[in-house]
């Protein structure tokens, strides 16, 4: 029996899947499957492929299609929801891709609004509406102005929520808390997730958010924080989040930095074979490696 997910089911800890490569920069399918099987055991509620942390701009179309099929089949029968991100800058292509992913049996989509060559707000809105109209599964609409250079007001986002009950919102402006509060006043029915490595995870949950979308290399830590929060153990949740903060604050200073760090953590944990990132990427220093080793010890990973 397949579970049909509704917008309100999309929450909890939903990590973005990293993309394992061989040391020569080819897709490492064995590590990819092992990573997915690992994530299925961590207690996460869902997982998403082709986010920024999946290095999606560095993939060929043929690789993306193959990975999409492997993602759906590897996680078939697992209790976690499977989401895939539509990142195309053309509305027509995004609609086709959304329909294709839905036809594969994915449980939800994520949608990165187009930002290349700065389309006007009406064009962006039309793009978002077109993808939402193309499918009936939940669609997580991303608001990442730091990455896209594109501001969307809480009013504009609330208009999307009113019109499309299957829309979910991934808010990762920096900081996201006031924006989220303002948005939820205008769209109290909406489901909000936060990205940005969970830097604001607890404030966002307090503000009415439903979950967090971090990287996938230490998903267990986010699961522990989320479980404390769900049980009303606020002090424990805060203590664990405070212990995590110095690390993620350092690593989130650049997107390519945390992508490389997450890969290196996955390799050091024996989950993927190499920590290769497709170029251009980020070079870790020996100090970075010491900090990662300390992190693995601190969090018993």
């Amino acid at each position: 029996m397949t579970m049909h997910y509704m917008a309100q089911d999309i929450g909890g800890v939903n990590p973005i899947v990293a993309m394992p490569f061989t040391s020569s920069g080819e897709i490492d399918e064995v590590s990819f499957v092992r990573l997915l099987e690992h994530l299925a055991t961590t207690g996460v509620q869902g997982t998403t492929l082709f986010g920024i942390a999946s290095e999606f701009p560095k993939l060929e179309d043929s690789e993306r299609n193959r990975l999409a099929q492997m993602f759906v089949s590897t996680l078939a029968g697992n209790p976690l929801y499977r989401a895939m991100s539509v990142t195309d800058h053309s509305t027509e292509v995004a609609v086709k891709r959304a329909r294709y992913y839905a036809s594969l049996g994915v449980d939800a989509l994520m949608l990165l609004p187009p930002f290349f060559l700065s389309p006007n707000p009406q064009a962006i809105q039309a793009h978002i509406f077109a993808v939402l109209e193309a499918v009936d599964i939940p669609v997580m609409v991303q608001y990442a102005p730091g990455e896209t250079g594109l501001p969307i007001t809480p009013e504009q986002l609330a208009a999307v929520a009113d019109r499309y009950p299957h829309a979910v919102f991934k808010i990762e402006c920096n900081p996201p808390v006031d924006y989220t509060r303002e948005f939820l006043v205008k769209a109290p029915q909406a489901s909000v997730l936060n990205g940005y490595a969970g830097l604001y995870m607890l404030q966002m949950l307090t503000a009415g958010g439903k979950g967090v979308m971090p990287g996938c290399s230490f998903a267990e830590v986010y699961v522990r924080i989320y479980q404390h929060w769900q049980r009303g153990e606020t002090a424990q949740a805060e203590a664990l989040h405070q212990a995590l903060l110095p690390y993620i604050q350092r690593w989130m200073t650049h997107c390519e930095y945390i992508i490389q760090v997450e890969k290196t953590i996955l390799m050091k944990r024996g989950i993927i074979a190499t920590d290769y990132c497709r170029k251009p990427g980020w070079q870790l220093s020996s100090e970075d490696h010491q900090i990662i080793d300390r992190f693995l010890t601190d969090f018993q990973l």
Side-chain angles (χ1 to χ4, degrees):
M1 182 201 131
T2 53
M3 158 110 182
H4 287 291
Y5 286 87
M6 309 290 285
Q8 57 270 27
D9 300 322
I10 305 299
V13 180
N14 173 5
I16 305 290
V17 182
M19 188 47 59
F21 297 110
T22 66
S23 51
S24 60
E26 296 303 313
I27 302 279
D28 178 351
E29 294 189 357
V30 174
S31 287
F32 181 63
V33 169
R34 193 162 59 230
L35 172 56
L36 295 176
E37 288 171 344
H38 158 76
L39 285 172
T41 67
T42 57
V44 298
Q45 279 68 32
T47 189
T48 299
L49 184 61
F50 304 133
I52 291 170
S54 311
E55 296 174 70
F56 77 80
K58 300 175 184 178
L59 298 172
E60 297 175 39
D61 275 352
S62 58
E63 292 173 334
R64 207 178 297 197
N65 289 342
R66 168 119 177 98
L67 289 160
Q69 291 160 5
M70 288 175 70
F71 177 72
V72 171
S73 60
T74 303
L75 291 174
N78 273 296
L80 67 177
Y81 58 83
R82 303 155 299 171
M84 278 195 274
S85 190
V86 174
T87 58
D88 306 274
H89 288 271
S90 147
T91 304
E92 291 84 352
V93 178
V95 163
K96 279 183 191 161
R97 191 163 330 253
R99 287 189 177 131
Y100 170 61
Y101 288 167
S103 76
L104 290 178
V106 76
D107 302 303
L109 298 176
M110 185 159 77
L111 175 62
L112 184 67
F115 55 88
F116 188 65
L117 301 182
S118 310
N120 69 44
Q122 291 73 23
I124 293 156
Q125 190 180 49
H127 182 100
I128 294 170
F129 287 177
V131 172
L132 282 161
E133 278 160 23
V135 297
D136 52 11
I137 56 176
V139 178
M140 299 178 268
V141 179
Q142 259 180 293
Y143 178 47
E147 282 60 51
T148 62
L150 169 78
I152 300 173
T153 65
E155 288 78 9
Q156 287 169 314
L157 218 53
V160 180
D162 286 341
R163 193 160 160 181
Y164 300 102
H166 64 306
V168 180
F169 300 87
K170 183 187 182 191
I171 295 180
E172 39 195 349
C173 48
N174 188 13
V177 184
D178 291 341
Y179 184 97
T180 298
R181 282 204 189 98
E182 205 177 319
F183 168 62
L184 286 173
V185 166
K186 294 174 169 61
Q189 79 287 6
S191 292
V192 170
L193 303 170
N194 177 230
Y196 231 72
L199 275 177
Y200 301 95
M201 178 177 178
L202 292 174
Q203 294 103 301
M204 287 292 280
L205 289 168
T206 306
K210 297 278 176 69
V212 66
M213 295 184 69
C216 69
S217 68
F218 46 96
E220 298 94 327
V221 179
Y222 295 100
V223 169
R224 279 180 238 160
I225 295 169
Y226 184 66
Q227 287 172 343
H228 282 311
W229 165 265
Q230 279 189 305
R231 292 196 291 260
E233 298 160 1
T234 324
Q236 290 96 316
E238 278 170 4
L240 195 49
H241 193 251
Q242 283 300 318
L244 183 60
L245 267 181
Y247 292 105
I248 53 179
Q249 278 167 339
R250 175 188 174 99
W251 297 332
M252 271 305 284
T253 50
H254 194 286
C255 250
E256 294 278 20
Y257 186 11
I258 194 159
I259 290 169
Q260 182 62 68
V261 165
E262 296 249 11
K263 284 269 191 81
T264 303
I265 290 172
L266 287 167
M267 181 185 74
K268 286 182 190 248
R269 294 186 67 189
I271 297 163
I272 64 175
T274 81
D275 63 352
Y276 189 95
C277 289
R278 281 188 175 167
K279 295 175 172 48
W282 189 275
Q283 196 70 45
L284 296 184
S285 66
S286 54
E287 186 192 4
D288 284 322
H289 282 281
Q290 287 164 359
I291 288 168
I292 289 169
D293 291 339
R294 188 167 75 232
F295 171 79
L296 292 170
T297 308
D298 282 359
F299 288 92
Q300 296 158 3
L301 297 166

